[in-house]
Amino acid sequence: MTSFERVLGALAGTPQPRPPFTLTLSLFGARLTGCPLQEYYRRPDRYAEGQAAVVDLCGPDILFAPFALSLEAEAFGSDLIFLPDYPPNVRKPSVRSADGFIALPLPDVDSHPSLAYLRESVRLLAAEHAGRIPVCAIVTASVDLPAMVMGIDQWLETLLSDPDLASRTLEHAERHFVALANALLDDGASFIALPIMFSNPQVLFPRMITEVILPALARSFSQVRGPIVFHHGGNPMLPLLREYLGLPNVAGYAVDHRDSLGDARRLLGSDRLLLGNLSGPTLSRMPIDSALETVDRILEDCRDDRRFIFATSGADIPISTPPELLRAVAGRIASFPGSP
């Protein structure tokens, strides 16, 4: 059985010999190939080499395109910084107001170098692993893009103080999101994942989420020509998970490691894809025995769940994580019996 067949089986809810799984190893490919990060996040061929090494290491059932949302901010004129052992980050926003963001021309998804890197990485991964391993592209949600480009503080202030300006800002962001998401799907991504921060009650008032954020997400999601995975964005998802269920084109929900998988399944119902929930960012600090105990608990909790994909939650698994730990996690999942 190929990884494609396992993931499709999870979507359909069919019995499988073992659970499908993925680990967020977008960054880790640079370690496996010894590629400098400033090269890894600029040359699609080096990124694809890194992901081929990830396949050789642990054989995940889903591969990730670059998890580097800052490249979209760069396409809007923001300056980036490359820190040791991390994906690039925004050093200086290109603008510091919503009016400034709206005035920015939308970057050309066909020609801007930062976006061309993302697209060519997807093309190379899709071509190399065609028919065997699905590729997930990572895109900044329209509700988060303004924060990336003009700063979290300015976007929060706009949302709280000027609803009309916030609405026009979201419309500008939505046009970019739809163009890039559909381009990546056309390039061969099987689906896109959105780590969404500005949909969480730890960031915004619930009323603002239901009245402003969710309608904006619904508008943009409805224009995407492929399946979407709604990612927790670094915060627990359960408090508003029920509110997210009406969004169009969402095939699955990737929950935080602090979320109960059982409670998430009860909220989602039996026909939604659930992904989670081993903490990826803290994995480097876990002894192998502790990591495997956590893996066992997650697998046992979801033993009868046919629409479950084991996945790490959060951002990239740190580059300092021992490869033998990742190999052991993958081996433990591969040896676990599938759902009946």
Side-chain angles (χ1 to χ4, degrees), residues 22-25 231-232 234 255-259 261 275-286 290-291 294-295 297-298 310-318 321 325-326 329:
T22 189
L23 309 174
T24 310
L25 294 169
H231 185 283
H232 62 89
V255 298
D256 186 73
H257 72 279
R258 292 162 289 187
D259 287 320
L261 289 169
L275 299 93
N277 70 339
L278 179 67
S279 175
T282 63
L283 197 56
S284 62
R285 303 194 299 270
M286 295 181 70
S290 297
T294 304
V295 170
R297 175 183 55 77
I298 293 170
F310 184 104
T312 49
S313 65
D316 265 302
I317 290 173
T321 306
L325 189 156
L326 301 175
V329 167

Side-chain angles (χ1 to χ4, degrees), residues 62-85:
I62 299 170
L63 282 178
F64 291 96
F67 201 151
L69 303 178
S70 62
L71 294 177
E72 291 184 63
E74 185 179 43
F76 279 87
S78 298
D79 292 332
L80 302 189
I81 182 171
F82 282 81
L83 300 171
D85 299 340

Side-chain angles (χ1 to χ4, degrees), residues 2-4 55 59-63 125-126 129-135 188 190:
T2 67
S3 292
F4 242 115
V55 173
D61 291 310
I62 299 170
L63 282 178
L125 292 176
H129 306 284
R132 295 184 299 112
I133 309 174
V135 175
S190 300

Side-chain angles (χ1 to χ4, degrees), residues 3-340:
S3 292
F4 242 115
E5 291 168 335
R6 272 188 283 272
V7 172
L8 289 175
L11 282 166
T14 57
Q16 303 197 53
R18 69 154 174 85
F21 82 96
T22 189
L23 309 174
T24 310
L25 294 169
S26 170
L27 169 67
F28 205 80
R31 171 177 175 169
L32 294 176
T33 56
C35 184
L37 293 180
Q38 286 177 299
E39 186 176 342
Y40 189 70
Y41 287 104
R42 295 300 188 193
R43 286 185 50 183
D45 59 326
R46 297 307 306 273
Y47 185 83
E49 290 171 4
Q51 294 309 293
V54 165
V55 173
D56 290 341
L57 173 70
C58 58
D61 291 310
I62 299 170
L63 282 178
F64 291 96
F67 201 151
L69 303 178
S70 62
L71 294 177
E72 291 184 63
E74 185 179 43
F76 279 87
S78 298
D79 292 332
L80 302 189
I81 182 171
F82 282 81
L83 300 171
D85 299 340
Y86 292 94
N89 207 342
V90 175
R91 176 170 56 187
K92 181 182 178 183
S94 59
V95 294
R96 291 291 290 158
S97 71
D99 286 323
F101 175 77
I102 294 170
L104 289 172
L106 295 179
D108 188 340
V109 298
D110 294 321
S111 63
H112 192 283
S114 300
L115 305 183
Y117 162 82
L118 296 174
R119 295 191 61 185
E120 182 61 16
S121 296
V122 167
R123 292 188 195 105
L124 291 174
L125 292 176
E128 182 172 356
H129 306 284
R132 295 184 299 112
I133 309 174
V135 175
C136 173
I138 313 293
V139 184
T140 306
S142 59
V143 298
D144 286 358
L145 183 64
M148 293 279 295
V149 176
M150 66 185 191
I152 293 174
D153 57 336
Q154 293 297 313
W155 181 221
L156 274 173
E157 181 178 340
T158 303
L159 284 167
L160 294 171
S161 64
D162 195 334
D164 289 338
L165 181 58
S167 178
R168 287 186 281 119
T169 304
L170 285 168
E171 289 174 2
H172 195 60
E174 287 164 20
R175 287 192 286 272
H176 165 77
F177 165 77
V178 170
L180 181 59
N182 284 329
L184 291 167
L185 289 165
D186 289 343
D187 292 331
S190 300
F191 55 94
I192 61 171
L194 313 178
I196 308 176
M197 182 173 66
F198 278 83
S199 64
N200 197 283
Q202 293 194 8
V203 179
L204 289 177
F205 297 121
R207 181 176 176 180
M208 181 167 290
I209 293 171
T210 56
E211 293 182 357
V212 178
I213 298 300
L214 292 182
L217 290 176
R219 287 194 305 270
S220 59
F221 286 11
S222 67
Q223 300 174 67
V224 174
R225 298 190 297 269
I228 295 169
V229 169
F230 192 117
H231 185 283
H232 62 89
N235 295 299
M237 183 183 280
L238 286 187
L240 276 185
L241 179 55
R242 192 184 302 276
E243 303 295 330
Y244 306 149
L245 300 186
L247 293 170
N249 290 328
V250 178
Y253 297 82
V255 298
D256 186 73
H257 72 279
R258 292 162 289 187
D259 287 320
S260 162
L261 289 169
D263 289 345
R265 172 52 70 201
R266 282 187 283 276
L267 288 169
L268 291 176
S270 60
D271 60 347
R272 307 264 188 161
L273 191 65
L274 174 63
L275 299 93
N277 70 339
L278 179 67
S279 175
T282 63
L283 197 56
S284 62
R285 303 194 299 270
M286 295 181 70
I288 288 182
D289 288 347
S290 297
L292 293 181
E293 288 176 6
T294 304
V295 170
D296 288 342
R297 175 183 55 77
I298 293 170
L299 291 172
E300 191 61 40
D301 287 347
C302 298
R303 174 183 289 274
D304 299 326
D305 193 336
R306 294 182 179 180
R307 287 187 166 90
F308 173 71
I309 295 179
F310 184 104
T312 49
S313 65
D316 265 302
I317 290 173
I319 206 166
S320 58
T321 306
E324 57 269 22
L325 189 156
L326 301 175
R327 193 180 293 113
V329 167
R332 184 61 60 93
I333 299 168
S335 65
F336 194 83
S339 56

